[in-house]
Amino acid sequence: MSDTSFTPRVFSGIQPSGGLTLGNYLGAIKRFVSMQDEAYETVYCMVDLHAITAKLLDPKELHYNTRELAAGFIASGISPEKSILINQSQVPEHAQLAWIFNCIARMGWMSRMTQFKDKAGKNAEKVSLGLFAYPALMAADILIYHATHVPVGDDQKQHLELTRDIASKFNHDYGVDFFPITEPVIEGAATRVMSLRDGSKKMSKSDPSDASRINMTDDVDTIAKKIRKAKTDPDALPSEAAGLEGRVEARNLINIYAALSEQSVDQVLAEVGGQQFGTFKPLLAELAVEKLAPISSEMARLMAQPDEIDRILACGAAQAREITAPILKKTYDIIGMVS
Ligand code: TYM
């Protein structure tokens, strides 16, 4: 089955679960911004329905987080003129299609999701049903737009494979060519940004140590301090990528530098190879501040205008529903729901 008959359309989302990290920025948002200027329609989403799966948030906090994330998207360069910008709950077709997908996805498929296993840990009996069903909602987020391309960080790869499986099973079971087989877009030097305290762990907003991550709202001094204190090894930097083998922390800092400076790892190493971390870290801090400080000050400016953010999201939801309502209607028709 080919998906050439589908309009090239990008969908991606981020959870408003509090704070935006350098991992989100380099792994996802930077690519969201560049795809706006390529030959795609682009839809970007604050996935608020996903944000309550791990734990219920204080309603005021969820409200704040959603607006702050919207400010983060816009401050990073996502333009409401070029992209449809929404929060998930204002477009009810996401949740409606998710129910159908709950009936398509198999328990065995869902049980293999490593993120569920990581998040549930030894507590699988106590976590919410929503946490288990989460990847079916994610598939619905994507397929309710017939999205053909989904830019994400490396940690979302398995969820995108599941999305393809759900689309294929639906198409096969109903004998249609209705949902596209979506392409994951996992590209760039920093598809998996690691913790600054432990190079074997992903940088994450849920890590209890604030020193493990750079938050998009960190001030200049905090960014510099976190980079200065980042865990490293005693050796000098190599001149070629092969020399990063087995040096997870060094690789992480080089990947971050490469992604921020829009260079390849080899180009960066040609420039900084032979340097000790004492020399390299200030360069990285300076680059990070140069790239991130304008975003955080723009976020603060936007956060002072919450009505404007709400207006953009309402407008985005209206535009989104022009796409999602007919796709849901057609899905119901295929299934045989009376309307
Ligand atoms: P979330 O909110 O955990 O992360 C949002 C995006 O940021 C990327 N990311 C990273 N990339 C590189 N290094 C890191 N350390 C890092 N941490 C996070 C993630 O890969 C992701 O692209 N399930 C999704 C949200 C979602 C979604 C969707 C995404 C819901 N529906 C539909 C795409 C399409 C999630 O929890 O991402």
Side-chain angles (χ1 to χ4, degrees):
M1 196 182 322
S2 91
D3 56 6
T4 47
S5 57
F6 292 97
T7 306
R9 188 177 286 142
V10 166
F11 179 91
S12 199
I14 297 188
Q15 292 194 55
S17 46
L20 201 53
T21 70
L22 183 66
N24 297 134
Y25 178 67
L26 295 179
I29 299 179
K30 230 169 155 288
R31 194 72 183 99
F32 298 177
V33 174
S34 64
M35 288 182 107
Q36 291 181 129
D37 297 319
E38 297 170 27
Y40 300 103
E41 287 179 23
T42 44
V43 184
Y44 298 122
C45 184
M46 276 62 75
V47 290
D48 45 12
L49 297 171
H50 280 96
I52 58 168
T53 53
K55 67 172 190 311
L56 297 177
L57 300 175
D58 174 333
K60 286 205 191 76
E61 195 185 330
L62 178 57
H63 211 263
Y64 179 88
N65 292 347
T66 306
R67 283 180 176 154
E68 187 186 51
L69 181 54
F73 274 54
I74 299 167
S76 301
I78 289 171
S79 152
E81 263 83 60
K82 294 183 188 169
S83 294
I84 298 178
L85 191 60
I86 52 165
N87 61 310
Q88 189 184 25
S89 60
Q90 283 204 78
V91 184
E93 290 79 13
H94 289 233
Q96 288 174 288
L97 184 63
W99 179 258
I100 309 291
F101 287 173
N102 284 343
C103 301
I104 300 282
R106 305 292 91 187
M107 288 293 284
W109 302 357
M110 305 299 279
S111 309
R112 282 192 281 278
M113 293 295 117
T114 54
Q115 269 208 356
F116 173 76
K117 290 192 233 174
D118 290 347
K119 286 192 181 165
K122 294 192 188 87
N123 224 9
E125 290 286 317
K126 298 250 171 74
V127 299
S128 76
L129 179 56
L131 189 68
F132 188 70
Y134 173 121
L137 176 58
M138 178 162 162
D141 296 336
I142 296 165
L143 294 173
I144 196 65
Y145 294 90
H146 279 183
T148 53
H149 294 79
V150 181
V152 282
D154 179 68
D155 61 334
Q156 296 300 317
K157 202 171 175 178
Q158 196 187 28
H159 291 157
L160 293 184
E161 280 159 15
L162 180 89
T163 301
R164 293 163 67 97
D165 289 343
I166 289 176
S168 300
K169 182 162 163 57
F170 182 98
N171 289 345
H172 175 265
D173 288 358
Y174 287 104
V176 289
D177 190 2
F178 184 60
F179 286 116
I181 307 303
T182 302
E183 288 297 330
V185 180
I186 304 176
E187 288 171 354
T191 57
R192 192 172 184 83
V193 178
M194 307 310 279
S195 155
L196 299 179
R197 307 302 300 159
D198 176 353
S200 68
K201 273 177 32 191
K202 191 181 73 173
M203 181 181 286
S204 159
K205 52 195 153 195
S206 57
D207 192 312
S209 160
D210 192 58
S212 71
R213 64 180 158 265
I214 291 174
N215 304 300
M216 298 301 286
T217 47
D218 282 344
D219 62 29
V220 170
D221 292 342
T222 310
I223 295 176
K225 188 167 156 216
K226 286 178 176 175
I227 292 177
R228 202 168 55 241
K229 294 204 157 174
K231 187 173 169 207
T232 45
D233 58 43
D235 296 336
L237 285 163
S239 304
E240 285 167 12
L244 292 171
E245 204 57 50
R247 298 178 65 187
V248 282
E249 280 90 13
R251 179 195 298 277
N252 189 37
L253 296 187
I254 292 293
N255 285 350
I256 294 173
Y257 192 97
L260 284 171
S261 63
E262 291 176 12
Q263 288 177 282
S264 70
V265 165
D266 284 322
Q267 282 169 319
V268 173
L269 290 177
E271 184 187 317
V272 304
Q275 285 182 9
Q276 295 292 338
F277 283 101
T279 314
F280 175 67
K281 280 177 168 179
L283 290 181
L284 176 59
E286 195 183 326
L287 177 65
V289 165
E290 179 195 320
K291 300 287 177 183
L292 303 182
I295 299 178
S296 81
S297 60
E298 179 63 3
M299 273 174 84
R301 194 188 68 79
L302 291 164
M303 283 301 279
Q305 305 170 20
D307 293 349
E308 176 59 8
I309 293 179
D310 293 356
R311 190 195 61 77
I312 290 170
L313 296 183
C315 184
Q319 289 173 281
R321 295 195 74 189
E322 285 175 24
I323 303 173
T324 57
I327 291 178
L328 184 73
K329 164 87 176 65
K330 189 77 204 301
T331 310
Y332 279 2
D333 288 347
I334 291 170
I335 294 173
M337 304 287 182
V338 174
S339 63

Coordinates of all heavy atoms in Angstrom, one line a residue, residues 11-17 21-28 32 47 50 88 115 119 134 137-139 141-142 150-156 159-160 190-194 202-205, ligand 1:
F11 N 2.2 15.9 11.8 CA 1.6 16.1 13.1 C 2.7 15.7 14.1 O 3.4 14.7 14.0 CB 0.4 15.2 13.3 CG -0.2 15.4 14.7 CD1 -1.2 16.3 14.9 CD2 0.3 14.7 15.8 CE1 -1.7 16.6 16.2 CE2 -0.2 14.9 17.0 CZ -1.2 15.8 17.2
S12 N 2.7 16.5 15.2 CA 3.5 16.1 16.4 C 3.0 16.8 17.6 O 2.3 17.8 17.5 CB 5.0 16.3 16.2 OG 5.7 15.4 17.1
G13 N 3.3 16.2 18.7 CA 2.8 16.8 20.0 C 3.8 16.6 21.1 O 4.8 15.9 21.1
I14 N 3.6 17.5 22.1 CA 4.4 17.4 23.4 C 3.4 17.5 24.6 O 2.4 18.2 24.5 CB 5.4 18.6 23.4 CG1 6.4 18.5 22.2 CG2 6.2 18.7 24.7 CD1 7.5 19.5 22.2
Q15 N 3.8 16.8 25.6 CA 2.9 16.8 26.8 C 3.1 18.1 27.6 O 4.3 18.4 27.9 CB 3.3 15.6 27.7 CG 2.9 14.3 27.1 CD 3.0 13.3 28.2 OE1 2.3 13.4 29.3 NE2 3.8 12.2 28.0
P16 N 2.0 18.7 28.0 CA 2.2 19.9 28.9 C 2.3 19.4 30.4 O 1.4 19.8 31.2 CB 0.9 20.7 28.6 CG -0.1 19.7 28.2 CD 0.6 18.6 27.6
S17 N 3.3 18.6 30.6 CA 3.4 18.0 32.0 C 4.3 18.9 32.8 O 4.7 18.4 33.9 CB 3.8 16.6 31.9 OG 4.8 16.4 31.0
T21 N 12.3 20.9 28.0 CA 13.7 20.7 28.2 C 14.5 20.9 26.9 O 13.9 20.9 25.8 CB 14.1 19.3 28.7 OG1 13.8 18.4 27.6 CG2 13.2 18.9 29.9
L22 N 15.8 21.0 27.0 CA 16.7 21.0 25.8 C 16.4 19.8 25.0 O 16.5 19.9 23.8 CB 18.1 21.1 26.3 CG 19.2 21.3 25.2 CD1 19.0 22.6 24.4 CD2 20.6 21.1 25.7
G23 N 16.1 18.7 25.6 CA 15.8 17.4 24.9 C 14.6 17.6 24.0 O 14.6 17.3 22.8
N24 N 13.5 18.2 24.5 CA 12.3 18.5 23.7 C 12.7 19.4 22.5 O 12.2 19.3 21.4 CB 11.2 19.2 24.5 CG 10.7 18.3 25.7 OD1 10.6 18.8 26.8 ND2 10.4 17.1 25.4
Y25 N 13.5 20.4 22.9 CA 13.8 21.4 21.9 C 14.6 20.8 20.7 O 14.3 21.0 19.5 CB 14.6 22.6 22.5 CG 15.0 23.7 21.5 CD1 14.0 24.4 20.9 CD2 16.3 23.9 21.2 CE1 14.4 25.4 19.9 CE2 16.7 24.8 20.3 CZ 15.7 25.6 19.6 OH 16.1 26.5 18.7
L26 N 15.7 20.1 21.1 CA 16.6 19.6 20.0 C 16.0 18.4 19.3 O 16.2 18.2 18.1 CB 18.0 19.3 20.6 CG 18.8 20.5 21.1 CD1 20.1 20.0 21.7 CD2 19.0 21.5 20.0
G27 N 15.3 17.5 20.1 CA 14.8 16.3 19.6 C 13.5 16.5 18.8 O 13.2 15.7 17.9
A28 N 12.8 17.6 19.1 CA 11.5 17.7 18.4 C 11.2 19.1 17.9 O 11.1 19.3 16.7 CB 10.4 17.3 19.4
F32 N 10.2 20.7 14.2 CA 8.9 21.2 13.9 C 9.0 22.5 13.1 O 8.3 22.7 12.2 CB 8.1 21.5 15.2 CG 7.8 20.3 16.1 CD1 7.1 20.6 17.3 CD2 8.2 19.0 15.9 CE1 6.8 19.6 18.2 CE2 7.9 18.0 16.8 CZ 7.2 18.3 17.9
V47 N -0.5 18.0 24.0 CA -1.3 16.9 24.2 C -1.8 16.8 25.7 O -1.2 16.1 26.5 CB -0.6 15.6 23.8 CG1 -0.5 15.5 22.2 CG2 0.8 15.4 24.3
H50 N -3.0 13.5 27.2 CA -1.9 12.6 27.6 C -1.3 13.0 28.9 O -0.8 12.1 29.6 CB -0.8 12.6 26.5 CG -1.0 11.8 25.3 ND1 -1.6 12.3 24.2 CD2 -0.9 10.5 25.1 CE1 -1.7 11.3 23.3 NE2 -1.3 10.2 23.8
Q88 N -4.9 19.5 22.5 CA -5.6 18.3 22.1 C -7.1 18.3 22.5 O -8.0 17.9 21.8 CB -4.9 17.1 22.7 CG -5.2 15.7 22.4 CD -4.4 14.8 23.2 OE1 -3.9 15.1 24.3 NE2 -4.1 13.6 22.7
Q115 N 7.9 2.1 27.0 CA 7.6 3.3 27.8 C 6.6 3.0 28.9 O 6.7 3.5 30.0 CB 7.2 4.5 27.0 CG 8.3 5.3 26.5 CD 8.0 6.8 26.3 OE1 6.9 7.3 26.4 NE2 9.1 7.5 26.0
K119 N 7.5 3.4 32.8 CA 6.7 4.3 33.6 C 5.9 3.6 34.7 O 5.8 4.1 35.8 CB 5.7 5.2 32.8 CG 6.4 6.2 32.0 CD 5.4 7.2 31.4 CE 6.2 8.3 30.6 NZ 5.3 9.1 29.7
Y134 N -2.5 4.9 26.4 CA -1.9 6.1 25.8 C -1.4 6.0 24.4 O -1.7 6.8 23.6 CB -0.7 6.4 26.8 CG 0.3 7.4 26.5 CD1 0.4 8.5 27.4 CD2 1.1 7.4 25.4 CE1 1.4 9.5 27.2 CE2 2.0 8.4 25.2 CZ 2.2 9.4 26.0 OH 3.1 10.4 25.8
L137 N -4.1 6.4 21.9 CA -4.5 7.9 21.7 C -3.5 8.6 20.9 O -3.8 9.4 20.0 CB -4.6 8.5 23.1 CG -4.9 10.0 23.1 CD1 -6.2 10.4 22.4 CD2 -5.0 10.6 24.6
M138 N -2.2 8.2 21.1 CA -1.2 8.9 20.2 C -1.4 8.5 18.8 O -1.2 9.4 17.9 CB 0.2 8.4 20.8 CG 1.3 9.0 20.0 SD 2.9 8.9 20.9 CE 4.0 9.1 19.5
A139 N -1.7 7.3 18.5 CA -2.0 6.9 17.1 C -3.2 7.7 16.5 O -3.1 8.2 15.4 CB -2.3 5.4 17.0
D141 N -4.1 10.7 17.5 CA -3.6 12.1 17.3 C -3.1 12.3 15.9 O -3.3 13.3 15.2 CB -2.5 12.4 18.3 CG -2.8 12.4 19.7 OD1 -4.0 12.6 20.0 OD2 -1.9 12.2 20.6
I142 N -2.3 11.3 15.5 CA -1.6 11.3 14.2 C -2.6 11.0 13.1 O -2.7 11.8 12.1 CB -0.5 10.3 14.2 CG1 0.5 10.7 15.3 CG2 0.1 10.2 12.8 CD1 1.5 9.6 15.6
V150 N 5.8 12.3 11.0 CA 5.8 12.7 12.4 C 7.2 12.9 13.0 O 7.9 11.9 13.2 CB 5.1 11.6 13.3 CG1 5.0 12.0 14.7 CG2 3.7 11.4 12.7
P151 N 7.6 14.1 13.2 CA 8.9 14.4 13.7 C 8.9 14.2 15.3 O 8.1 14.7 16.0 CB 9.2 15.9 13.4 CG 7.8 16.5 13.2 CD 6.9 15.4 12.8
V152 N 9.8 13.3 15.7 CA 9.9 13.0 17.2 C 11.3 12.7 17.5 O 12.2 12.5 16.7 CB 9.1 11.8 17.6 CG1 7.6 12.1 17.7 CG2 9.3 10.6 16.6
G153 N 11.6 12.7 18.9 CA 12.9 12.1 19.3 C 12.8 10.6 19.3 O 11.8 10.0 19.1
D154 N 14.0 10.1 19.5 CA 14.2 8.6 19.4 C 13.3 7.8 20.3 O 12.9 6.7 20.0 CB 15.7 8.4 19.7 CG 16.1 6.9 19.6 OD1 16.1 6.4 18.5 OD2 16.4 6.4 20.7
D155 N 12.9 8.3 21.5 CA 12.2 7.6 22.5 C 10.7 7.3 22.0 O 10.1 6.4 22.6 CB 12.1 8.3 23.8 CG 11.5 9.7 23.7 OD1 11.5 10.3 22.7 OD2 11.0 10.1 24.8
Q156 N 10.3 7.9 20.9 CA 8.9 7.7 20.5 C 8.8 6.7 19.3 O 7.7 6.5 18.8 CB 8.3 9.1 20.0 CG 8.1 10.1 21.1 CD 7.3 9.5 22.3 OE1 6.2 8.9 22.1 NE2 7.7 9.7 23.5
H159 N 6.3 3.8 19.6 CA 4.9 4.3 19.5 C 4.5 4.6 18.1 O 3.3 4.4 17.7 CB 4.7 5.6 20.4 CG 4.7 5.4 21.8 ND1 5.1 6.4 22.7 CD2 4.5 4.3 22.6 CE1 5.0 5.9 23.9 NE2 4.7 4.6 23.9
L160 N 5.5 5.0 17.3 CA 5.2 5.2 15.9 C 5.0 3.9 15.1 O 4.3 3.8 14.1 CB 6.2 6.2 15.2 CG 6.2 7.6 15.8 CD1 7.1 8.5 15.1 CD2 4.8 8.2 15.7
A190 N 20.8 15.3 17.6 CA 20.4 15.1 19.0 C 19.0 14.5 19.1 O 18.1 15.1 19.7 CB 20.4 16.5 19.7
T191 N 18.8 13.3 18.6 CA 17.5 12.7 18.7 C 17.3 12.0 20.0 O 16.2 11.6 20.4 CB 17.4 11.6 17.6 OG1 18.5 10.7 17.7 CG2 17.4 12.2 16.2
R192 N 18.4 11.9 20.8 CA 18.3 11.4 22.1 C 19.3 12.2 23.0 O 20.5 11.8 23.1 CB 18.6 9.9 22.1 CG 18.2 9.2 23.4 CD 18.4 7.7 23.3 NE 17.9 7.1 24.5 CZ 16.7 6.8 24.8 NH1 15.7 7.0 23.9 NH2 16.3 6.2 25.9
V193 N 18.8 13.3 23.6 CA 19.7 14.1 24.5 C 19.7 13.4 25.9 O 18.6 13.0 26.4 CB 19.1 15.5 24.6 CG1 20.0 16.3 25.6 CG2 19.1 16.2 23.2
M194 N 20.9 13.2 26.4 CA 21.0 12.5 27.7 C 21.1 13.4 28.9 O 21.4 14.6 28.7 CB 22.2 11.5 27.6 CG 22.3 10.6 26.4 SD 20.7 9.7 26.0 CE 20.9 8.4 27.2
K202 N 18.1 9.2 29.7 CA 17.5 10.3 28.8 C 17.3 11.6 29.6 O 16.9 11.5 30.8 CB 16.2 9.8 28.3 CG 15.6 10.6 27.2 CD 14.2 10.0 26.8 CE 13.2 10.3 27.8 NZ 11.8 9.8 27.4
M203 N 17.6 12.7 29.0 CA 17.2 14.0 29.7 C 15.7 14.1 29.7 O 15.1 13.9 28.7 CB 17.8 15.2 28.9 CG 17.5 16.5 29.6 SD 18.1 18.0 28.7 CE 19.9 17.9 29.0
S204 N 15.2 14.3 30.9 CA 13.7 14.3 31.1 C 13.2 15.3 32.1 O 13.9 15.5 33.1 CB 13.4 12.8 31.5 OG 12.1 12.8 32.1
K205 N 12.0 15.8 31.8 CA 11.5 16.8 32.7 C 11.0 16.1 34.0 O 10.8 16.8 35.1 CB 10.3 17.6 32.1 CG 9.2 16.8 31.5 CD 8.3 17.7 30.6 CE 7.7 16.9 29.5 NZ 7.2 17.6 28.4
Ligands
TYM1 P1 7.1 14.0 25.3 O1 6.2 15.1 25.7 O2 7.7 13.1 26.3 O3 8.3 14.7 24.4 C1 8.0 15.5 23.3 C2 9.0 15.4 22.2 O4 10.3 15.6 22.7 C3 11.2 14.5 22.4 N1 12.1 14.3 23.5 C4 13.4 14.2 23.3 N2 14.2 14.1 22.2 C5 15.5 14.0 22.4 N3 16.1 13.8 23.6 C6 15.4 13.8 24.7 N4 15.9 13.7 25.9 C7 14.0 14.0 24.6 N5 12.9 14.1 25.5 C8 11.8 14.2 24.8 C9 10.2 13.3 22.3 O5 10.7 12.3 21.5 C10 9.0 13.9 21.6 O6 9.2 14.0 20.3 N6 4.0 10.6 23.4 C11 4.6 11.8 23.2 C12 3.6 13.0 22.9 C13 2.7 12.7 21.8 C14 2.9 12.7 20.4 C15 1.7 12.4 19.8 C16 4.1 12.8 19.6 C17 1.3 12.4 21.9 N7 0.7 12.3 20.7 C18 1.6 12.2 18.4 C19 4.0 12.7 18.2 C20 2.8 12.4 17.6 C21 5.4 12.3 24.4 O7 5.1 11.9 25.5 O8 6.4 13.1 24.1

